[in-house]
């Protein structure tokens, strides 16, 4: 049976080490990351995630984020290319993602273009929404891309 491919956005790395969130959310995030490390899933990040983590101002936190990310043993970071940017811009022009949150559109586009099954996130502001899922599916279908899902770690760990 084929393993699910999971794209982890920056919120997943943050939640895994955060001490200001619910214990349940942190633990389910760590469980998902552990299952990636065990080979149950194939885990991916991108250069967008690396850039966002590198922009963390608190040096201690930035080092902890990078160290945790390395410990998961993810696939090589995905690169943003012209196709990724064009698809992200389509998500923005279709008002799925606001222009100020271009990185969120890039996370969706990277998941789509790289044939990844699920974008895993804790971003309820722009990504974990029924409207976002439906509109992304519409754009992807119209442009000939496969459909992806956008889920929290809890949905992946408990439902698969």
């Amino acid at each position: 049976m084929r393993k699910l491919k999971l794209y982890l956005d920056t919120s997943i790395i943050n939640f895994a080490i955060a001490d200001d969130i619910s214990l349940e959310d942190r633990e389910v995030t760590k469980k998902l990351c552990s299952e990636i490390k065990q080979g149950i899933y194939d885990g991916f990040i991108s250069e967008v995630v690396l850039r966002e983590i590198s922009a963390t101002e608190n040096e201690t936190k930035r080092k902890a984020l990078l160290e945790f990310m390395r410990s998961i043993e993810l696939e090589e970071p995905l690169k943003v290319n012209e196709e990724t940017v064009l698809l992200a811009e389509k998500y923005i022009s279709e008002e799925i993602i606001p222009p100020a949150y271009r990185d969120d559109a890039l996370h969706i586009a990277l998941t789509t273009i790289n044939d990844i099954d699920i974008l895993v996130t804790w971003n309820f502001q722009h990504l974990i929404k029924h409207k976002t899922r439906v509109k992304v599916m519409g754009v992807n279908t119209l442009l000939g891309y496969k459909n992806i899902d956008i889920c929290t770690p809890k949905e992946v760990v408990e439902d698969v």
Side-chain angles (χ1 to χ4, degrees):
M1 190 166 120
R2 183 178 81 82
K3 286 191 275 186
L4 283 177
K5 296 180 188 176
L6 308 178
Y7 177 94
L8 310 181
D9 81 350
T10 312
S11 70
I12 301 303
I13 310 303
N14 277 314
F15 269 58
I17 69 160
D19 55 9
D20 59 347
I21 61 164
S22 82
L23 181 60
E24 178 186 2
D25 289 348
R26 185 173 61 237
E27 290 306 312
V28 75
T29 302
K30 285 182 173 180
K31 181 177 182 193
L32 175 71
C33 293
S34 173
E35 289 179 357
I36 291 169
K37 188 173 182 172
Q38 293 169 38
I40 295 170
Y41 306 109
D42 288 330
F44 296 83
I45 58 163
S46 69
E47 62 186 14
V48 177
V49 172
L50 293 174
R51 179 174 38 80
E52 289 177 338
I53 289 174
S54 295
T56 303
E57 291 182 15
N58 179 312
E59 185 177 346
T60 303
K61 182 177 180 183
R62 183 176 57 249
K63 285 181 180 179
L65 290 166
L66 290 169
E67 183 178 318
F68 179 80
M69 190 178 56
R70 278 189 223 100
S71 76
I72 305 170
E73 300 175 16
L74 300 163
E75 302 294 329
E76 194 68 29
L78 304 172
K79 305 284 186 208
V80 173
N81 59 25
E82 185 178 350
E83 183 181 11
T84 310
V85 171
L86 290 172
L87 184 55
E89 291 300 324
K90 183 68 171 171
Y91 297 140
I92 292 168
S93 71
E94 293 295 324
E95 299 180 353
I96 301 170
I97 302 294
Y101 297 93
R102 182 166 268 100
D103 283 352
D104 290 343
L106 286 169
H107 291 309
I108 298 168
L110 283 157
T111 303
T112 298
I113 288 170
N114 289 283
D115 197 33
I116 296 173
D117 302 299
I118 303 172
L119 165 55
V120 188
T121 183
W122 284 111
N123 181 340
F124 286 93
Q125 187 174 11
H126 300 116
L127 299 178
I128 302 285
K129 288 182 167 185
H130 178 70
K131 174 196 95 151
T132 301
R133 289 175 173 142
V134 169
K135 287 187 165 191
V136 166
M137 188 182 327
V139 167
N140 287 359
T141 299
L142 285 171
L143 297 178
Y145 292 107
K146 88 170 206 173
N147 289 317
I148 64 165
D149 205 351
I150 303 171
C151 299
T152 67
K154 189 173 184 175
E155 292 172 298
V156 174
V157 169
E158 294 182 2
D159 289 346
V160 176

